[in-house]
Amino acid sequence: MATLARTSTGLAYPDRFYAAASYAGFDGSPNPANKDIASKFSNEVALILYALYQQATVGPCNVPKPSSWSPVEQGKWKSWQQLGNMASTEAMRLFVKILEEEDPEWYSRSSNPVEPVRDIPMNNNSNVEPIIENGNSIAETKTVSAENGSLMEAKDKDVSEGLGSVVIYDQWVSPPITGQRPRTRYEHGAAVVQDKMYIYGGNHNGRYLSDLNVLDFRSWTWSKVEANVGSKSAESPSPVNIAPCAGHSLIPWENKLLSIAGHTKDPSETIQVKAFDLQTGTWSILKTYGKAPVSRGGQSVTLVGSTLVIFGGQDANRTLLNDLYILDLETMTWDDLDAVGVPPSPRSDHAAAVHAERYLLIFGGGSHATCFNDLHVLDLQAMEWSRPTQQGEIPTPRAGHAGVTVGENWFIVGGGDNKSGASETVVLNMSTFVWSVVTSVEGRVPLASEGLSLVVGSVDGEDILVSFGGYNGRYNNEVNVLKPSHKSTSQSKIMEAPVPDSVSSVHNGTNPTRDLESELEVGHEGKIREIVVDNIDSEPTKSKGEETSEHIIATLKAEKEELESSLNKEKLQSLQLKEELTEAETRNTDLYKELQSVRGQLAAEQSRCFKLEVDVAELRQKLQTMETLQKELELLQRQKAASEQALNANQRQGSGVWGWLAGSPPRNADDA
């Protein structure tokens, strides 16, 4: 709120930019406040400020590249050249924004403050309409500053008026928020119930949140909902703890808010469905039936009638999914869906919408290695996937974006590709699959955020898009509002007509808000340029025409040489990558051969080991046999000894008196 106050009470553009440039010492003025200002900035910030100042005051970089012996001048030239065809007004806004981030109190320390300008600056990129109150145009409006590409109402404007008195379409506006704002976060859930936006959970500095906050659109006031812990079910009245989560989906259903899936510190095996009763203010975990899908986060949950359609996401093991489930809210029964055709590849953090209660649209998302900008459609009646041809200005690949539908138009906001955020707001006509840009705001942090939320509300009978939170280098808790005009909801149909090359080239270069009149003006300008070139070719006797033609040819040659140089660099890089790939494949082959050799040796050792085990078993068997034979031998020896003893005794009994008594005949002398 401090930044908003400074903006609303400070200078309007371009005076605010010139004051900031003077304070930072870029205009060369002997301002005492400029002393040692440059020392406060890092080299990177100083280069960015220099480039934005040049872009705002001079325009796109057309000066030749400096010599290689001057690295400072090379760095300044490169920073300026990278801005391309950025509009000067946008460069002014970014200059002031970066200065305020580096030195928030710069304006109060400026030695030459100027009285605030009460007029709204009208320029080609502002698309600002006058403020209307009670149907009458007011000559002296309250201070409205175009900061960071959005229009913000004055601090002293009555909060109860909300956005109803400001007629600004297709521009993001920061409403006058009161109350205690929720903690900054991303990957939270958001839902609208009766002119109120509920925000639940999310991720803040790697910590999962479980708080529930509500924003009243009628007063634009935040408040925190102190929720009670409910019971798990009627059969189990014991209270349960609602675990903090992020990456979940928040769906309004009857008098409840349903929180579906999401990442938690201790994930469950299957998806949980939590419900917050808006009447009793209690949380509970709903009991479901059927085969529930595995727990996950970053999925899409779309309400189709009384059924939730769940697609994709990432499970607790970071495995990406592209499965499809439905949850019947009438019976709370899960069921998995089998569809024909080619489904979207596994992904998370994508956007989904339903059209005509029949077609499920999936756009974008990301995997571990890349982000997507593909569009898939599932016919929920025929259960068939298709991939329609996208037309118009197809958005760049992104993940972490948010989308809502207004009629047959699907608005997409935010997201990024792990390198940069997507700052434009785009809309898809779901009947014709034609994309168009509603508004583009370079460097607008709240609108270039990953993991932000986007909902549709209503103010004075008009639809509004409300975004909250997100992450773009820092966590966010800002609220921004956009009123879609009839132009933004019908421009997809306008884009169906063929667009002249001159119009499309200028549009892609400057990326303004799509306006049919401005496109026609650009088209006429393009025709005028073509006529001038034709006159140059047909009247070579004019010296001025010859100089212009030579300049154009020289410029084209320079661009051609630059493109050829870039192409050669790309070819060289491609060749190097191919060589590295060949080397990697060779190493892979050698490693595979070595692996096969080790496997062969291991198999031989295993075979030898098996033979040794067989030999040991045979030897053990022989040893047991020898022990048995030894015992039998000892037994025979004992029997033999006993027999010999008995024989000797018989011989003694057959001689002498004992023999006569025994009846043995006497021995003859011959026998003796």
Side-chain angles (χ1 to χ4, degrees):
M1 294 303 293
T3 302
L4 296 180
R6 287 197 306 273
T7 302
S8 61
T9 58
L11 294 174
Y13 286 93
D15 295 332
R16 190 175 185 82
F17 162 74
Y18 291 120
S22 176
Y23 174 80
F26 280 93
D27 61 349
S29 61
N31 191 340
N34 296 339
K35 187 177 181 180
D36 296 332
I37 289 296
S39 62
K40 296 181 180 180
F41 304 136
S42 63
N43 293 335
E44 182 180 358
V45 173
L47 286 176
I48 294 175
L49 290 176
Y50 167 80
L52 291 172
Y53 178 79
Q54 293 295 106
Q55 190 81 8
T57 57
V58 179
C61 179
N62 293 320
V63 299
K65 187 176 182 179
S67 303
S68 59
W69 56 265
S70 179
V72 175
E73 294 299 323
Q74 269 203 340
K76 293 165 65 175
W77 179 87
K78 186 176 181 181
S79 298
W80 183 13
Q81 193 266 343
Q82 287 178 346
L83 296 180
N85 294 324
M86 178 185 290
S88 61
T89 54
E90 190 62 34
M92 291 181 181
R93 294 189 181 99
L94 287 177
F95 184 95
V96 176
K97 178 179 181 298
I98 293 174
L99 180 61
E100 287 184 345
E101 290 179 352
E102 296 295 323
D103 189 359
E105 303 299 329
W106 74 270
Y107 187 76
S108 62
R109 286 200 288 262
S110 180
S111 60
N112 296 316
V114 185
E115 289 298 322
V117 180
R118 292 294 177 178
D119 295 328
I120 301 177
M122 303 299 291
N123 51 55
N124 294 333
N125 294 328
S126 62
N127 290 336
V128 180
E129 299 183 19
I131 295 180
I132 307 296
E133 290 189 359
N134 300 325
N136 298 320
S137 177
I138 301 177
E140 290 189 10
T141 62
K142 297 180 180 180
T143 304
V144 179
S145 174
E147 178 94 21
N148 298 335
S150 66
L151 298 174
M152 292 174 287
E153 295 185 74
K155 180 74 174 179
D156 56 352
K157 189 172 183 65
D158 187 5
V159 175
S160 62
E161 293 180 11
L163 298 175
S165 61
V166 182
V167 185
I168 302 172
Y169 292 97
D170 298 334
Q171 290 288 338
W172 286 100
V173 178
S174 296
I177 300 295
T178 59
Q180 184 177 1
R181 298 190 180 217
R183 184 183 301 179
T184 56
R185 69 193 65 204
Y186 81 125
E187 291 184 344
H188 51 276
V192 172
V193 178
Q194 297 179 352
D195 295 332
K196 294 182 179 180
M197 178 178 69
Y198 291 86
I199 300 296
Y200 168 62
N203 191 325
H204 174 82
N205 289 334
R207 297 180 58 186
Y208 297 143
L209 306 175
S210 61
D211 55 339
L212 180 64
N213 299 270
V214 59
L215 176 65
D216 193 328
F217 293 155
R218 293 166 294 186
S219 61
W220 295 103
T221 302
W222 278 110
S223 59
K224 186 174 182 180
V225 180
E226 296 297 337
N228 301 319
V229 177
S231 60
K232 184 174 182 179
S233 64
E235 294 80 9
S236 178
S238 59
V240 294
N241 293 324
I242 302 300
C245 63
H248 52 287
S249 303
L250 197 64
I251 305 294
W253 174 249
E254 296 178 344
N255 63 336
K256 297 181 178 65
L257 294 174
L258 303 182
S259 176
I260 316 295
H263 294 299
T264 58
K265 183 178 180 181
D266 298 315
S268 60
E269 294 183 359
T270 57
I271 283 182
Q272 285 190 340
V273 181
K274 297 179 287 187
F276 180 76
D277 193 314
L278 295 172
Q279 295 180 351
T280 62
T282 57
W283 278 106
S284 60
I285 299 179
L286 300 183
K287 185 177 182 180
T288 60
Y289 305 90
K291 183 181 179 182
V294 66
S295 63
R296 66 193 66 194
Q299 71 293 323
S300 62
V301 178
T302 310
L303 181 63
V304 183
S306 61
T307 303
L308 295 180
V309 182
I310 291 88
F311 173 78
Q314 181 176 259
D315 65 13
N317 297 322
R318 300 188 73 248
T319 301
L320 294 168
L321 308 168
N322 66 342
D323 51 355
L324 193 65
Y325 281 82
I326 62 171
L327 175 62
D328 189 334
L329 296 178
E330 300 289 347
T331 62
M332 297 304 295
T333 303
W334 288 103
D335 192 12
D336 58 337
L337 297 180
D338 292 327
V340 298
V342 181
S345 59
R347 65 191 63 196
S348 66
D349 298 325
H350 52 278
V354 62
H355 176 51
E357 293 294 309
R358 174 174 177 175
Y359 301 100
L360 178 70
L361 284 73
I362 303 292
F363 171 73
S367 65
H368 297 311
T370 186
C371 294
F372 310 107
N373 65 343
D374 49 356
L375 178 66
H376 299 263
V377 177
L378 173 64
D379 188 333
L380 294 172
Q381 292 185 8
M383 292 309 300
E384 180 178 3
W385 284 105
S386 62
R387 188 170 178 179
T389 301
Q390 303 180 68
Q391 302 180 34
E393 301 182 31
I394 301 176
T396 56
R398 65 193 63 193
H401 47 287
V404 292
T405 58
V406 179
E408 64 177 6
N409 294 280
W410 188 16
F411 289 83
I412 300 292
V413 174
D417 59 358
N418 295 325
K419 297 179 182 178
S420 61
S423 59
E424 71 276 9
T425 300
V426 296
V427 60
L428 173 70
N429 186 300
M430 294 185 288
S431 297
T432 61
F433 301 114
V434 177
W435 287 100
S436 54
V437 176
V438 177
T439 180
S440 179
V441 184
E442 295 293 338
R444 176 63 174 170
V445 174
L447 303 182
S449 299
E450 299 182 29
L452 80 169
S453 62
L454 185 69
V455 298
V456 177
S458 177
V459 172
D460 294 338
E462 288 188 284
D463 291 326
I464 58 172
L465 310 184
V466 183
S467 71
F468 171 77
Y471 179 83
N472 190 24
R474 59 181 180 180
Y475 295 91
N476 195 292
N477 64 349
E478 296 294 327
V479 175
N480 291 274
V481 178
L482 181 142
K483 283 187 178 181
S485 66
H486 296 292
K487 178 186 69 174
S488 66
T489 56
S490 62
Q491 57 190 203
S492 295
K493 296 181 180 179
I494 296 174
M495 283 296 296
E496 292 182 64
V499 181
D501 294 339
S502 59
V503 176
S504 62
S505 62
V506 173
H507 180 83
N508 292 333
T510 59
N511 203 14
T513 303
R514 295 194 56 82
D515 191 325
L516 184 58
E517 295 179 358
S518 63
E519 289 182 357
L520 292 176
E521 291 176 1
V522 175
H524 290 310
E525 183 181 359
K527 292 180 181 178
I528 292 172
R529 291 177 180 174
E530 291 175 1
I531 294 172
V532 171
V533 175
D534 292 340
N535 291 335
I536 291 173
D537 294 336
S538 60
E539 299 179 10
T541 58
K542 296 181 180 180
S543 59
K544 185 176 180 180
E546 290 177 355
E547 292 176 359
T548 304
S549 178
E550 290 177 357
H551 177 70
I552 293 175
I553 292 174
T555 303
L556 292 176
K557 286 183 178 179
E559 292 179 355
K560 180 182 177 183
E561 292 176 356
E562 185 177 355
L563 290 174
E564 289 178 350
S565 176
S566 300
L567 181 61
N568 291 332
K569 291 180 180 178
E570 293 294 333
K571 288 182 178 179
L572 180 61
Q573 185 176 4
S574 178
L575 182 61
Q576 293 176 350
L577 290 175
K578 287 182 179 179
E579 292 178 353
E580 293 177 359
L581 179 61
T582 303
E583 293 177 359
E585 289 177 349
T586 303
R587 290 195 300 268
N588 188 26
T589 303
D590 295 339
L591 290 174
Y592 182 76
K593 291 180 179 178
E594 185 177 353
L595 178 61
Q596 292 296 104
S597 175
V598 172
R599 285 179 176 175
Q601 295 177 3
L602 181 60
E605 292 296 329
Q606 288 178 343
S607 177
R608 179 184 173 189
C609 214
F610 178 74
K611 290 180 179 179
L612 290 175
E613 289 178 353
V614 172
D615 293 341
V616 169
E618 292 178 352
L619 290 174
R620 286 179 177 175
Q621 187 175 3
K622 290 180 179 179
L623 181 60
Q624 292 178 355
T625 304
M626 291 180 63
E627 291 178 352
T628 304
L629 293 175
Q630 181 69 26
K631 291 180 180 179
E632 292 179 354
L633 179 60
E634 292 177 355
L635 180 60
L636 291 175
Q637 288 177 347
R638 287 197 297 269
Q639 291 178 353
K640 179 181 178 183
S643 299
E644 290 178 350
Q645 290 178 1
L647 181 59
N648 293 332
N650 290 334
Q651 289 178 354
R652 286 195 303 268
Q653 290 175 0
S655 61
V657 178
W658 293 103
W660 178 79
L661 291 175
S664 298
R667 293 184 179 180
N668 295 324
D670 296 334
D671 296 335

